[in-house]
Amino acid sequence: MSALPPDSSVLTFKDARRVVEEQAALVLAGKVLARNAQAGAREFEDLLAAVGRVLAEPVLADRDLPPFARSTRDGYAVRSADLKQVPATLEVIGEIKAGARAENIPSQIAKGQAASIMTGAPVPAGADAVVMVEYSSQDGERVDVTRGVVPGENIVPRGAEARQGSLLVDRGMRLNEVSLALAASVGKARLEVYRRPRVAVLTTGDEIVDVNATPGATQIRNSNCYSLASQILSAGAQPVLLPISPDEPVKLRQLIELGIRSDLLLLTGGVSMGRYDLVEQVLTEMKAEFFFTGAKIQPGRPVVFGKCGAGSSSGGTYFFGLPGNPVSTMVTFELFARPMIEALAGQAAKKLAFLHARLKSEIRVKNGLTRFLPAILSGEFENSEVELVAWQGSGDIAAAARANCYAVIPPDRDVISEGEWVAVMMR
Ligand code: AMP
Ligand code: MG
């Protein structure tokens, strides 16, 4: 049997995360070829179908934004100098609606004149401010104005938001409502996006049976492949579910060989210290490279990260061996697999950042591990509070389902008092 990787490859959480980020950066830079994703595979999608996809082309302003000096209020387009002394009375020479054609826009606002103007309408030449309708009263062709304005008030100048040809959204952005709106605003009805990477899920364990099977007394239904599939989808990739592998090296190796044809392989189970935890052993026999074989976290300590088939023409496939305990699987996916999937999907890197909330009741743990404990974030507005849920450990999916986040406990803390700010990882 080949030697297993040494124990020294158990890293702190931050070091392990950094190792993944480094590899993800190589993928993103194109230094490491992925089979279908980053290696240039792109496709066009209609705007509506592009939400959640990663942009493969830069979106540029097709014209100045706004394309004309835009009034941000209903009111009167005026010369601010005419309102140095208020109240003042101005002559109303026209009405400008949003979308007004050139022939319906006064060509010039002269001294002592104003034009009634609507929000989103073009400000006519000569006017340098818009006074809000609230500060005016019109009687026929005269308007009395009770408030002064500074030059530029209530006007967005032409091109102030973006100049024609300037970059609005760069490639690598995952499309959300804002970037879609921006793309629509510059007339991009179709967008070039990266193909979704394919992520294989290989469940291991003699005790694991399919959801449709009737489990024997000591068998467990395969839930991890569903949590992983849902996380893979939310990370912007396509799950490829492989058959369940027994804890038997020949079959396991066959399925790993199938799995590494995808862009990424996620294994679940079989990475702990038990006699039948064969994942590392089989991958070692396959000459896999291991970046780490554990992280000082709870849950999820036995997590493994590596690359298999580095000598092949494709440059190899990254894999994560995620622990089989369901909550460990979910947490280690979030911490480590997600950033790699995002890179394979062509998405620009982002740091893992946590929100903070006040702790509702004291936490006592042993220090040494970074903990991601199922918790409930509650409270309202700026008074967010967080509280751990009672659980039976990392196999307890029911507790995880009562939670809506993870409280993050740093490795150097053993007592955290009620009322302290703690980091929260949303899910
Ligand atoms: P392992 O990491 O293989 O030692 O598994 C740890 C625990 O997680 C055991 O109690 C397994 O029965 C359970 N487990 C492993 N894989 C799955 C799975 N796919 N779905 C649900 N539970 C699992
Ligand atoms: Mg197992």
Side-chain angles (χ1 to χ4, degrees), residues 202-209 218-228 244 247 268-274 276-277 302 322-326 328-329 394-395 397:
L202 175 47
T203 304
T204 73
D206 283 341
E207 77 281 28
I208 309 299
V209 298
T218 57
Q219 290 180 318
I220 300 291
R221 292 192 184 93
N222 184 5
S223 61
N224 289 347
C225 87
Y226 294 96
S227 60
L228 286 173
I244 299 168
D247 293 318
T268 139
V271 288
S272 315
M273 296 302 287
Y276 300 100
D277 289 323
L322 307 178
N325 264 315
S328 308
T329 311
S394 54
I397 318 177

Side-chain angles (χ1 to χ4, degrees), residues 31-377:
K31 292 199 182 108
V32 173
L33 291 190
R35 275 162 217 272
N36 86 22
Q38 195 42 37
R42 297 146 178 247
E43 59 193 350
F44 280 91
E45 283 289 1
D46 288 342
L47 263 190
L48 278 181
V51 66
R53 303 297 299 276
V54 179
L55 199 56
E57 59 169 344
V59 173
L60 309 180
D62 67 329
R63 51 183 185 157
D64 284 348
L65 292 184
F68 51 83
R70 178 178 67 210
S71 174
T72 62
R73 303 285 185 192
D74 297 319
Y76 292 86
V78 298
R79 301 167 74 100
S80 56
D82 286 348
L83 299 180
K84 283 231 168 78
Q85 302 263 306
V86 282
T89 302
L90 301 172
E91 178 197 356
V92 180
I93 62 163
E95 182 191 81
I96 311 169
K97 299 198 290 188
R101 291 159 175 272
E103 61 265 30
N104 296 327
I105 303 171
S107 56
Q108 181 70 25
I109 302 293
K111 197 168 169 354
Q113 294 182 330
S116 165
I117 193 167
M118 311 301 147
T119 301
V123 177
D128 67 350
V130 169
V131 62
M132 287 165 68
V133 69
E134 286 83 341
Y135 307 125
S136 70
S137 65
Q138 189 175 347
D139 182 13
E141 287 175 4
R142 320 237 111 227
V143 61
D144 293 329
V145 179
T146 56
R147 278 242 189 142
V149 277
V150 295
E153 196 167 330
N154 299 324
I155 296 176
V156 182
R158 174 176 175 160
E161 293 163 357
R163 283 287 175 200
Q164 180 175 22
S166 66
L167 179 68
L168 297 177
V169 196
D170 208 351
R171 54 168 73 93
M173 279 289 296
R174 186 137 187 227
L175 291 157
N176 59 18
E177 74 280 15
V178 182
S179 39
L180 280 188
L182 198 48
S185 76
V186 298
K188 299 284 289 181
R190 284 168 76 69
L191 289 171
E192 195 175 15
V193 296
Y194 290 113
R195 292 258 307 276
R196 285 194 182 90
R198 288 155 47 87
V199 177
V201 176
L202 175 47
T203 304
T204 73
D206 283 341
E207 77 281 28
I208 309 299
V209 298
D210 184 77
V211 63
N212 293 307
T214 305
T218 57
Q219 290 180 318
I220 300 291
R221 292 192 184 93
N222 184 5
S223 61
N224 289 347
C225 87
Y226 294 96
S227 60
L228 286 173
S230 119
Q231 288 173 295
I232 289 166
L233 285 169
S234 88
Q238 240 179 303
V240 178
L241 305 185
L242 301 178
I244 299 168
S245 174
D247 293 318
E248 189 278 300
V250 174
K251 186 72 189 159
L252 179 59
R253 180 169 181 154
Q254 279 171 6
L255 287 169
I256 291 177
E257 275 164 359
L258 196 60
I260 59 176
R261 292 192 205 156
S262 288
D263 296 298
L264 177 69
L265 169 61
L266 301 182
L267 298 113
T268 139
V271 288
S272 315
M273 296 302 287
R275 191 168 302 141
Y276 300 100
D277 289 323
L278 302 173
V279 165
E280 275 172 72
Q281 181 193 315
V282 169
L283 281 159
T284 303
E285 282 163 18
M286 293 173 72
K287 310 243 175 319
E289 179 185 357
F290 289 87
F291 301 114
F292 57 78
T293 57
K296 292 177 185 164
I297 58 174
Q298 187 223 4
R301 197 173 201 281
V303 60
V304 172
F305 174 42
K307 198 175 180 193
C308 194
S312 71
S313 59
S314 70
T317 305
Y318 288 100
F319 63 83
F320 289 93
L322 307 178
N325 264 315
V327 184
S328 308
T329 311
M330 296 172 201
V331 168
T332 49
F333 178 97
E334 285 308 317
L335 299 177
F336 305 118
R338 187 179 289 275
M340 177 53 81
I341 292 176
E342 289 175 349
L344 289 163
Q347 192 178 335
K350 55 178 191 290
K351 293 289 175 197
L352 182 62
F354 301 129
L355 308 177
H356 284 78
R358 281 194 192 280
L359 191 61
K360 229 169 154 179
S361 42
E362 184 189 81
I363 296 177
R364 283 174 182 273
V365 289
K366 285 207 196 84
N367 54 24
L369 300 177
T370 306
R371 294 172 202 265
F372 299 86
L373 303 177
I376 295 175
L377 184 73

